[in-house]
Amino acid sequence: MSETTGDDRHLPPAPTGAAAVHLTGVWFVGCVLTAVHFQAALLTLFAGGWGVFAVVPVVVVPPAVALLAVLGRTARLLVPLVRRRRGTWRWAAVVYGLGTAGAAGAVAADLSTGGRGGPLVFAAGGACYALAAASLLPGARARAATLGAAVLLVAAGAYAVWDASRPPTLDAWLTAHRVDRELLRVGDAPRGHALQVLGASGDGFGVAYERPGSPGLHLAVARAGADTGRVDARGCPVPYGGTVRCSDDAGGRLLVTYEDGDARRELRLERDGLAYTVTLRGADGDLAGARHVLSTLRPATAAELAPLREFAMPR
């Protein structure tokens, strides 16, 4: 077959059905190449550092270009470049270079949003190779469609990165962590203390009451009966070692003092199926403040829970 010359822009567009089959094949190969490159990058990072990275171009690139070249030979009737001398290898090099650059961007966007690779990012990488191949098809419409698809792909990736950089809504954070919302209760901060939410989950909720120069207080909320430790008839913990003293603190509260070298006390209260525990550190812990916390229990406000949004989302 003679070598094709001239301006390819004046060639008729490729048949739609044949072009779709061609691009689907490139997409599939691109998915495989993206997965291989992703694993090579992980191997570089966690196994051998830059020494392994130097080997990657030798081990990965030639087979990848050769695989694309085999695929490119099937597109001789569609792509003018393939019909030229050494055109198959030029086509393979262009598709590999542009596709790999796009796939690298897709992987980077996935990693920046907390992803770890997977079918979706591999499919996006394959789409980058398919777009690179589509850019070599003749016809103004094909090039315009390729440009539009590339713009949409870049916009989707940019939006995913931007959306992942924003703190989640409070409802989204609570749902993602499967928080038991019945546990989200606090007591008013004692005078001079600042309330700080520490965390929440399906099993418990924690709040700190901090004051300069003071050990502060810690409130833990859980379902009654969630603590499976041994207790006596009064609800006083039965330790395996050390000594624990309990006394009635009125109002349904139980004051627990640990005498095991760790100077701390707990003021406990069970009400409406929930167990509240205020921990006081040090021998001079603010017992009056702990009583104030338990006497003013109420649902936490959205403003008080807002700091939870700054904690990491589950992956």
Side-chain angles (χ1 to χ4, degrees):
M1 183 177 292
S2 61
E3 181 180 349
T4 301
T5 60
D7 191 349
D8 294 341
R9 291 177 297 179
H10 300 296
L11 293 174
T16 303
V21 172
H22 166 64
L23 295 180
T24 300
V26 176
W27 171 82
F28 178 78
V29 172
C31 293
V32 174
L33 292 179
T34 302
V36 170
H37 289 135
F38 185 81
Q39 296 302 322
L42 292 182
L43 183 64
T44 299
L45 291 173
F46 298 109
W50 292 107
V52 174
F53 182 78
V55 178
V56 169
V58 178
V59 176
V60 176
V61 176
V65 175
L67 179 61
L68 287 171
V70 172
L71 183 63
R73 292 192 184 98
T74 65
R76 296 179 67 86
L77 299 179
L78 298 174
V79 185
L81 175 61
V82 178
R83 297 197 291 268
R84 299 177 182 177
R85 172 182 287 184
R86 300 177 182 174
T88 300
W89 291 102
R90 295 175 185 173
W91 177 88
V94 170
V95 172
Y96 179 78
L98 295 178
T100 301
V107 170
D110 177 67
L111 295 177
S112 68
T113 57
R116 299 179 181 178
L120 185 60
V121 69
F122 297 155
C128 294
Y129 286 93
L131 287 173
S135 68
L136 299 175
L137 292 174
R141 289 184 179 180
R143 292 190 173 95
T146 301
L147 178 61
V151 170
L152 289 176
L153 187 62
V154 171
Y159 175 80
V161 173
W162 172 78
D163 187 58
S165 66
R166 298 185 302 162
T169 64
L170 180 60
D171 284 341
W173 193 95
L174 295 174
T175 300
H177 287 79
R178 300 179 181 179
V179 171
D180 184 349
R181 303 193 184 207
E182 293 294 324
L183 303 179
L184 303 180
R185 303 183 67 85
V186 299
D188 292 342
R191 183 183 299 274
H193 289 71
L195 185 154
Q196 178 185 5
V197 172
L198 299 177
S201 68
D203 301 320
F205 176 56
V207 181
Y209 297 87
E210 303 290 346
R211 183 177 64 180
S214 169
L217 306 170
H218 178 272
L219 170 66
V221 186
R223 288 286 181 184
D227 185 356
T228 57
R230 295 172 59 199
V231 295
D232 62 18
R234 296 183 303 162
C236 185
V238 178
Y240 290 101
T243 303
V244 175
R245 291 190 297 105
C246 296
S247 58
D248 185 3
D249 196 64
R253 299 186 298 264
L254 183 69
L255 180 61
V256 182
T257 303
Y258 293 86
E259 299 179 346
D260 54 3
D262 183 13
R264 76 185 191 279
R265 291 181 292 174
E266 292 177 351
L267 194 61
R268 299 186 175 191
L269 174 67
E270 287 195 13
R271 178 184 297 169
D272 300 328
L274 298 179
Y276 305 90
T277 303
V278 180
T279 301
L280 304 82
R281 290 289 178 181
D284 57 347
D286 187 359
L287 182 56
R291 290 169 177 153
H292 176 77
V293 169
L294 293 183
S295 65
T296 57
L297 291 169
R298 57 175 173 76
T301 66
E304 290 167 337
L305 295 173
L308 290 173
R309 301 166 55 219
E310 302 299 328
F311 296 130
M313 291 284 280
R315 295 182 177 181

PDB file of all heavy atoms in Angstrom, residues 27 31 34 103 106-107 110 113 116-128 153 160:
ATOM      1  N   TRP A  27      -9.347   1.797  24.722  1.00  0.00           N
ATOM      2  CA  TRP A  27      -9.760   2.041  26.116  1.00  0.00           C
ATOM      3  C   TRP A  27      -9.436   0.842  26.999  1.00  0.00           C
ATOM      4  O   TRP A  27      -8.918   0.993  28.097  1.00  0.00           O
ATOM      5  CB  TRP A  27     -11.258   2.334  26.166  1.00  0.00           C
ATOM      6  CG  TRP A  27     -11.798   2.391  27.564  1.00  0.00           C
ATOM      7  CD1 TRP A  27     -11.747   3.436  28.424  1.00  0.00           C
ATOM      8  CD2 TRP A  27     -12.457   1.318  28.265  1.00  0.00           C
ATOM      9  NE1 TRP A  27     -12.321   3.094  29.635  1.00  0.00           N
ATOM     10  CE2 TRP A  27     -12.769   1.806  29.559  1.00  0.00           C
ATOM     11  CE3 TRP A  27     -12.801   0.015  27.919  1.00  0.00           C
ATOM     12  CZ2 TRP A  27     -13.415   1.012  30.501  1.00  0.00           C
ATOM     13  CZ3 TRP A  27     -13.453  -0.769  28.858  1.00  0.00           C
ATOM     14  CH2 TRP A  27     -13.751  -0.262  30.141  1.00  0.00           C
ATOM     15  N   CYS A  31      -6.904   0.798  30.117  1.00  0.00           N
ATOM     16  CA  CYS A  31      -7.231   0.398  31.497  1.00  0.00           C
ATOM     17  C   CYS A  31      -6.143  -0.507  32.063  1.00  0.00           C
ATOM     18  O   CYS A  31      -5.711  -0.351  33.216  1.00  0.00           O
ATOM     19  CB  CYS A  31      -8.578  -0.316  31.536  1.00  0.00           C
ATOM     20  SG  CYS A  31     -10.006   0.718  31.137  1.00  0.00           S
ATOM     21  N   THR A  34      -2.962   1.521  32.686  1.00  0.00           N
ATOM     22  CA  THR A  34      -3.084   2.372  33.878  1.00  0.00           C
ATOM     23  C   THR A  34      -2.890   1.546  35.143  1.00  0.00           C
ATOM     24  O   THR A  34      -2.204   1.974  36.076  1.00  0.00           O
ATOM     25  CB  THR A  34      -4.464   3.052  33.906  1.00  0.00           C
ATOM     26  OG1 THR A  34      -4.651   3.813  32.719  1.00  0.00           O
ATOM     27  CG2 THR A  34      -4.589   3.971  35.111  1.00  0.00           C
ATOM     28  N   ALA A 103      -3.556   9.629  32.158  1.00  0.00           N
ATOM     29  CA  ALA A 103      -3.777   8.635  33.208  1.00  0.00           C
ATOM     30  C   ALA A 103      -3.052   9.010  34.489  1.00  0.00           C
ATOM     31  O   ALA A 103      -3.564   8.793  35.593  1.00  0.00           O
ATOM     32  CB  ALA A 103      -3.321   7.255  32.724  1.00  0.00           C
ATOM     33  N   ALA A 106      -5.184  11.381  36.236  1.00  0.00           N
ATOM     34  CA  ALA A 106      -6.321  10.709  36.877  1.00  0.00           C
ATOM     35  C   ALA A 106      -5.892  10.025  38.173  1.00  0.00           C
ATOM     36  O   ALA A 106      -6.596  10.092  39.187  1.00  0.00           O
ATOM     37  CB  ALA A 106      -6.928   9.685  35.912  1.00  0.00           C
ATOM     38  N   VAL A 107      -4.727   9.374  38.153  1.00  0.00           N
ATOM     39  CA  VAL A 107      -4.235   8.712  39.362  1.00  0.00           C
ATOM     40  C   VAL A 107      -3.911   9.739  40.442  1.00  0.00           C
ATOM     41  O   VAL A 107      -4.232   9.555  41.623  1.00  0.00           O
ATOM     42  CB  VAL A 107      -2.995   7.856  39.035  1.00  0.00           C
ATOM     43  CG1 VAL A 107      -2.334   7.353  40.317  1.00  0.00           C
ATOM     44  CG2 VAL A 107      -3.392   6.675  38.162  1.00  0.00           C
ATOM     45  N   ASP A 110      -7.033  10.920  41.982  1.00  0.00           N
ATOM     46  CA  ASP A 110      -7.581   9.892  42.866  1.00  0.00           C
ATOM     47  C   ASP A 110      -6.846   9.864  44.200  1.00  0.00           C
ATOM     48  O   ASP A 110      -7.473   9.809  45.260  1.00  0.00           O
ATOM     49  CB  ASP A 110      -7.485   8.531  42.174  1.00  0.00           C
ATOM     50  CG  ASP A 110      -7.971   7.387  43.057  1.00  0.00           C
ATOM     51  OD1 ASP A 110      -9.174   7.344  43.356  1.00  0.00           O
ATOM     52  OD2 ASP A 110      -7.137   6.562  43.460  1.00  0.00           O
ATOM     53  N   THR A 113      -7.658  12.756  46.510  1.00  0.00           N
ATOM     54  CA  THR A 113      -8.982  12.694  47.130  1.00  0.00           C
ATOM     55  C   THR A 113      -9.102  11.534  48.107  1.00  0.00           C
ATOM     56  O   THR A 113     -10.207  11.216  48.555  1.00  0.00           O
ATOM     57  CB  THR A 113     -10.077  12.568  46.055  1.00  0.00           C
ATOM     58  OG1 THR A 113      -9.826  11.401  45.251  1.00  0.00           O
ATOM     59  CG2 THR A 113     -10.090  13.786  45.142  1.00  0.00           C
ATOM     60  N   ARG A 116      -7.350   4.937  46.508  1.00  0.00           N
ATOM     61  CA  ARG A 116      -6.225   4.007  46.460  1.00  0.00           C
ATOM     62  C   ARG A 116      -6.225   3.227  45.163  1.00  0.00           C
ATOM     63  O   ARG A 116      -5.863   2.060  45.108  1.00  0.00           O
ATOM     64  CB  ARG A 116      -6.292   3.033  47.649  1.00  0.00           C
ATOM     65  CG  ARG A 116      -6.227   3.729  49.001  1.00  0.00           C
ATOM     66  CD  ARG A 116      -6.312   2.714  50.127  1.00  0.00           C
ATOM     67  NE  ARG A 116      -6.262   3.379  51.438  1.00  0.00           N
ATOM     68  CZ  ARG A 116      -6.352   2.737  52.594  1.00  0.00           C
ATOM     69  NH1 ARG A 116      -6.498   1.428  52.614  1.00  0.00           N
ATOM     70  NH2 ARG A 116      -6.296   3.403  53.744  1.00  0.00           N
ATOM     71  N   GLY A 117      -6.638   3.876  44.089  1.00  0.00           N
ATOM     72  CA  GLY A 117      -6.767   3.171  42.834  1.00  0.00           C
ATOM     73  C   GLY A 117      -8.032   2.333  42.820  1.00  0.00           C
ATOM     74  O   GLY A 117      -8.819   2.340  43.758  1.00  0.00           O
ATOM     75  N   GLY A 118      -8.255   1.624  41.740  1.00  0.00           N
ATOM     76  CA  GLY A 118      -9.444   0.793  41.651  1.00  0.00           C
ATOM     77  C   GLY A 118     -10.054   0.885  40.274  1.00  0.00           C
ATOM     78  O   GLY A 118      -9.558   1.601  39.388  1.00  0.00           O
ATOM     79  N   PRO A 119     -11.144   0.158  40.043  1.00  0.00           N
ATOM     80  CA  PRO A 119     -11.735   0.112  38.701  1.00  0.00           C
ATOM     81  C   PRO A 119     -12.079   1.479  38.130  1.00  0.00           C
ATOM     82  O   PRO A 119     -11.899   1.710  36.934  1.00  0.00           O
ATOM     83  CB  PRO A 119     -13.005  -0.740  38.916  1.00  0.00           C
ATOM     84  CG  PRO A 119     -12.698  -1.576  40.114  1.00  0.00           C
ATOM     85  CD  PRO A 119     -11.841  -0.720  41.005  1.00  0.00           C
ATOM     86  N   LEU A 120     -12.587   2.394  38.964  1.00  0.00           N
ATOM     87  CA  LEU A 120     -13.008   3.690  38.436  1.00  0.00           C
ATOM     88  C   LEU A 120     -11.822   4.491  37.909  1.00  0.00           C
ATOM     89  O   LEU A 120     -11.883   5.071  36.816  1.00  0.00           O
ATOM     90  CB  LEU A 120     -13.745   4.481  39.522  1.00  0.00           C
ATOM     91  CG  LEU A 120     -14.353   5.817  39.072  1.00  0.00           C
ATOM     92  CD1 LEU A 120     -15.358   5.573  37.954  1.00  0.00           C
ATOM     93  CD2 LEU A 120     -15.030   6.526  40.241  1.00  0.00           C
ATOM     94  N   VAL A 121     -10.738   4.555  38.682  1.00  0.00           N
ATOM     95  CA  VAL A 121      -9.583   5.335  38.236  1.00  0.00           C
ATOM     96  C   VAL A 121      -8.901   4.646  37.061  1.00  0.00           C
ATOM     97  O   VAL A 121      -8.388   5.311  36.147  1.00  0.00           O
ATOM     98  CB  VAL A 121      -8.586   5.563  39.393  1.00  0.00           C
ATOM     99  CG1 VAL A 121      -7.900   4.281  39.796  1.00  0.00           C
ATOM    100  CG2 VAL A 121      -7.547   6.612  39.019  1.00  0.00           C
ATOM    101  N   PHE A 122      -8.914   3.312  36.995  1.00  0.00           N
ATOM    102  CA  PHE A 122      -8.339   2.600  35.851  1.00  0.00           C
ATOM    103  C   PHE A 122      -9.172   2.866  34.599  1.00  0.00           C
ATOM    104  O   PHE A 122      -8.633   3.014  33.503  1.00  0.00           O
ATOM    105  CB  PHE A 122      -8.257   1.104  36.137  1.00  0.00           C
ATOM    106  CG  PHE A 122      -7.351   0.756  37.294  1.00  0.00           C
ATOM    107  CD1 PHE A 122      -7.528  -0.413  38.011  1.00  0.00           C
ATOM    108  CD2 PHE A 122      -6.323   1.621  37.674  1.00  0.00           C
ATOM    109  CE1 PHE A 122      -6.695  -0.732  39.079  1.00  0.00           C
ATOM    110  CE2 PHE A 122      -5.486   1.316  38.753  1.00  0.00           C
ATOM    111  CZ  PHE A 122      -5.678   0.145  39.447  1.00  0.00           C
ATOM    112  N   ALA A 123     -10.501   2.911  34.769  1.00  0.00           N
ATOM    113  CA  ALA A 123     -11.366   3.231  33.635  1.00  0.00           C
ATOM    114  C   ALA A 123     -11.127   4.653  33.147  1.00  0.00           C
ATOM    115  O   ALA A 123     -11.141   4.916  31.938  1.00  0.00           O
ATOM    116  CB  ALA A 123     -12.831   3.038  34.029  1.00  0.00           C
ATOM    117  N   ALA A 124     -10.911   5.579  34.085  1.00  0.00           N
ATOM    118  CA  ALA A 124     -10.616   6.959  33.691  1.00  0.00           C
ATOM    119  C   ALA A 124      -9.288   7.033  32.944  1.00  0.00           C
ATOM    120  O   ALA A 124      -9.148   7.769  31.959  1.00  0.00           O
ATOM    121  CB  ALA A 124     -10.573   7.853  34.925  1.00  0.00           C
ATOM    122  N   GLY A 125      -8.298   6.261  33.412  1.00  0.00           N
ATOM    123  CA  GLY A 125      -7.028   6.216  32.695  1.00  0.00           C
ATOM    124  C   GLY A 125      -7.199   5.653  31.299  1.00  0.00           C
ATOM    125  O   GLY A 125      -6.622   6.160  30.330  1.00  0.00           O
ATOM    126  N   GLY A 126      -8.009   4.592  31.164  1.00  0.00           N
ATOM    127  CA  GLY A 126      -8.281   4.040  29.845  1.00  0.00           C
ATOM    128  C   GLY A 126      -8.947   5.052  28.938  1.00  0.00           C
ATOM    129  O   GLY A 126      -8.668   5.105  27.726  1.00  0.00           O
ATOM    130  N   ALA A 127      -9.822   5.883  29.508  1.00  0.00           N
ATOM    131  CA  ALA A 127     -10.471   6.925  28.711  1.00  0.00           C
ATOM    132  C   ALA A 127      -9.454   7.929  28.179  1.00  0.00           C
ATOM    133  O   ALA A 127      -9.613   8.458  27.070  1.00  0.00           O
ATOM    134  CB  ALA A 127     -11.529   7.638  29.553  1.00  0.00           C
ATOM    135  N   CYS A 128      -8.403   8.180  28.942  1.00  0.00           N
ATOM    136  CA  CYS A 128      -7.350   9.105  28.477  1.00  0.00           C
ATOM    137  C   CYS A 128      -6.643   8.529  27.254  1.00  0.00           C
ATOM    138  O   CYS A 128      -6.340   9.256  26.297  1.00  0.00           O
ATOM    139  CB  CYS A 128      -6.350   9.367  29.599  1.00  0.00           C
ATOM    140  SG  CYS A 128      -7.034  10.266  31.003  1.00  0.00           S
ATOM    141  N   LEU A 153     -13.626  15.515  30.908  1.00  0.00           N
ATOM    142  CA  LEU A 153     -12.867  14.629  31.793  1.00  0.00           C
ATOM    143  C   LEU A 153     -12.001  15.440  32.747  1.00  0.00           C
ATOM    144  O   LEU A 153     -11.935  15.148  33.951  1.00  0.00           O
ATOM    145  CB  LEU A 153     -12.004  13.680  30.963  1.00  0.00           C
ATOM    146  CG  LEU A 153     -11.271  12.570  31.727  1.00  0.00           C
ATOM    147  CD1 LEU A 153     -12.269  11.652  32.419  1.00  0.00           C
ATOM    148  CD2 LEU A 153     -10.378  11.766  30.785  1.00  0.00           C
ATOM    149  N   ALA A 160     -13.693  16.797  41.325  1.00  0.00           N
ATOM    150  CA  ALA A 160     -13.517  15.779  42.354  1.00  0.00           C
ATOM    151  C   ALA A 160     -12.452  16.202  43.359  1.00  0.00           C
ATOM    152  O   ALA A 160     -12.618  16.027  44.573  1.00  0.00           O
ATOM    153  CB  ALA A 160     -13.138  14.445  41.705  1.00  0.00           C
TER     154      ALA A 160
END
